[in-house]
Amino acid sequence: MEQFTPSSKYNSNHWTTNSGAPVWNNNSSLTVGPRGPVLLEDYHLVEKLAQFDRERIPERVVHARGFSAKGYFEVTHDISHLTTADFLRAPGVQTPLITRFSTVIHEIGSPETLRDPRGFAVKFYTREGNFDMVGNNIPVFFIRDGMKFPDMIHSLKPNPKTNVQEMWRAMDFFSHIPESLHMFSFLFDDWGVPYNFRHMEGFGVHTFKLINKAGKETYVKFHWKPSCGVKFLLEEEAVIVGGTNHSHMTQDLFDTIAAGNYPEWGLFIQTMEPCMEDAYDFDPLDDTQTWPEDKFPLQPVGKMVLNKNIDNNFAENEQLAFCPGIIVPGIYYTDDKMFQTRIFSYSDSQRHRLGPNYLMLPVNAPKNKHHNNHHEGFMNFMHRDEEVNYFPSRYDPVRHAEKSPLPQNSFSGKREKAIIKKENNFKQAGERYRTFDPARQERFLMRFVGVLSDPKVTDEVRKAWVFYWTQADASLGNKLAAKLNMPAIQSGM
Ligand code: HEM
C-alpha cells in the first residue's frame, strides 16, 4: 500500500468522509421526508460542520497579520573565518528558506497600512537544522528587559474596554520607559508606515555571537537591505492605499513573485570583538542601541531571493512558527536580556497556539534528518517503529552529535533585579532626529503633537515626553512644549 501523506494531491475523484467512505450526496442533509427534521445519524453532515466549526486556531498573540514566501539564501562572501555555521561555509552555498513579514499589534485581518513596526522573520532550512532569524524592520526595540514585554504590548493593543487602539494608553506606558525613545524615532518617523514588504530593511535587532572553528567569538549584528530600496507611505497616501486594499503588502508580495520579479535582500553584518564591549558609551548588547556604521561598517555576506509563493495560507503562513531560540552551531545568543527572554516565549506560545508537536508540521520541520526521544502528545503524526525510546541504550546506534561550540565567557555576580549600567537612553534618538530634513522633522514632531493632544493624556504624561525629547534634542523638546502649550524644559535636568 502506498505510504499515506496527508496532501490534497492524494484526493480521490469522488467525495469521501475524512475516513474515506464514499459520499454520494454532498448537497442535501439526511432528513425524515423532504422537509425534515434532520437526522443526527447523517455522519457526513456532522463531520463537515464539526470540521468547519474548528477551522480557526488562536492567532499569534502579536504579529498576527502577515504573509510568507519561500526562496533561498546564497552566500556571496566568505565569513567562514568567523563561524562554523554550515550554511555560511563558502560563497555559492544555497540554503532554502521561508520568510514571514508581518505587522505587530492588530488582528489577523487588520489593514497593512497602520503605523506599526513590521516583523521580518527568516527560517533557514540548513543541513544542521533550522536557523530562525526573527527580526523587525527597525534596528532597535522599545524595551531592553522582557519583563516589560506583556505590559508594553497591552498598552499598544486595543483598549480592553472599547476594543480600539487608543494611543493615550501607549503614551502613558512609554512615559515611564525612556529607553523607548530611539524606537519611537523610527516609528513616528516616515519609517513607521513602509510602502510594502519588498521595500523594507530587516534587522536581527539583537547582538548575536558567531563562533569559529578555533572557538573565537565575535559579536555580530545582522542587516537585510532590499535591492529595490526603502520606501514609505505618508499619512495621506496610506489612507488612500489602505482604503482601497487593506492587504496591499500581502498582495504586492504575492503578485510580484507570481510575475517572476523576485524580491531580493542583501545580508550584511557588523562585527565587534567581545573584548571591546566596554569601550563605548553604549552597551553593545542593549537592543535599544545601534552600532554606528562609521565605526562598525556593514560587511556583505549573502543574498536572499524570494522566488516561490506559498501554496496554502493556513499551512505555510498561519502554522508557520518561529523561535529566536532555534539556532545552528556556529551562531549563538548573547547575554542580551531581551534575547534570552525570547528564547523561551515563542515556542511556549506555539505549544499553545499549534500544539506540542508544532515542529512536525511540514513548514516548521527541519529538512535534515533528525532524531530524539521526545514523543507522543496531541496530534503526533510521526510514524515510529522502534522498541528503544530511552537514552542511553546499547540497542540504539544513535550517538551524540559532534560538540557544538559554546561561548567561553565566565560570569560572577549576585542575583539581582536591576537595570543595565550604561542606559544612554537619549543620544542615538536625538542623533537620528537630526539626520531628518526640516520637513521630515516637522512631520515627526506633529505625529507626537497629535497623540499627546488627546484630552485623555494628562499634563504629567505630556511633561515626561517633553522632558525626554528635550534630553534627546533641545530644539525638538522646545517645539513640542510650545505646540502642547507647556513650559519648555532645559536639557540635562
Ligand atoms: C522579550 C520580548 C519579546 C517577547 C516575549 C516576544 C514574544 C513573541 C510571541 C509570543 C510571538 C508570537 C509567536 C507565534 O505565535 O508564532 C512573537 C512574534 C514575533 N516577534 Fe516577538 N517577542 C519579543 C520581542 C521581540 C523583538 C525584540 C522582536 C524583533 C527583533 C520581535 C519580533 C517578532 C516577530 C517578527 C514575530 C512574528 C514571527 C512570525 O512571523 O511568525 N519580538 N513575539
Side-chain angles (χ1 to χ4, degrees), residues 80-85 210-217 330 402 405:
S80 60
H81 57 289
L82 296 175
T83 176
T84 58
L210 296 181
I211 310 180
N212 75 7
K213 212 168 175 182
K216 183 175 181 305
E217 299 164 26
E402 202 183 309

Side-chain angles (χ1 to χ4, degrees), residues 39 61 67 73 76 106 139 165 174 176 178-179 185 243 280 287 295 298 385 394 414 423 450:
L39 291 174
V61 64
F67 199 59
F73 176 75
T76 52
H106 294 281
Q165 186 189 39
F174 286 108
H176 301 271
E179 75 249 35
S185 76
Y280 306 98
D287 70 351
K295 291 203 182 71
L298 295 180
D385 178 11
R394 295 183 205 287
K414 294 188 304 257
E423 286 205 278

Side-chain angles (χ1 to χ4, degrees), residues 405-471:
L406 281 177
Q408 294 301 304
N409 53 326
S410 51
F411 301 92
S412 73
K414 294 188 304 257
R415 286 187 173 80
E416 55 187 320
K417 282 183 171 256
I419 53 173
I420 61 168
K421 287 208 181 85
K422 280 188 211 166
E423 286 205 278
N424 206 344
N425 290 325
F426 306 115
K427 185 171 170 235
Q428 294 194 354
E431 284 169 357
R432 184 171 155 73
Y433 170 75
R434 287 187 289 277
T435 65
F436 302 160
D437 64 35
R440 194 163 171 175
Q441 287 190 344
E442 180 70 10
R443 290 195 292 274
F444 181 75
L445 168 71
M446 291 315 291
R447 289 180 192 121
F448 264 100
V449 172
V451 289
L452 292 172
S453 298
D454 184 328
K456 286 194 94 164
V457 175
T458 63
D459 276 351
E460 196 187 354
V461 170
R462 287 193 191 115
K463 207 168 153 191
W465 281 101
V466 170
F467 175 74
Y468 291 157
W469 282 118
T470 306
Q471 306 312 303

Side-chain angles (χ1 to χ4, degrees), residues 8-75:
S8 56
K9 69 178 176 233
Y10 287 86
N11 276 346
S12 60
N13 59 6
H14 58 257
W15 295 111
T16 72
T17 61
N18 281 352
S19 49
V23 169
W24 59 270
N25 185 333
N26 197 20
N27 290 320
S28 302
S29 308
L30 189 66
T31 50
V32 182
R35 295 183 63 224
V38 176
L39 291 174
L40 191 59
E41 72 190 45
D42 188 343
Y43 180 87
H44 172 57
L45 172 70
V46 172
E47 182 183 77
K48 186 174 183 178
L49 291 173
Q51 186 85 38
F52 174 75
D53 295 343
R54 289 164 178 78
E55 278 180 8
R56 297 289 167 271
I57 60 172
E59 64 178 36
R60 291 168 178 80
V61 64
V62 281
H63 296 260
R65 169 66 138 147
F67 199 59
S68 47
K70 296 190 238 183
Y72 64 90
F73 176 75
E74 183 176 322
V75 180

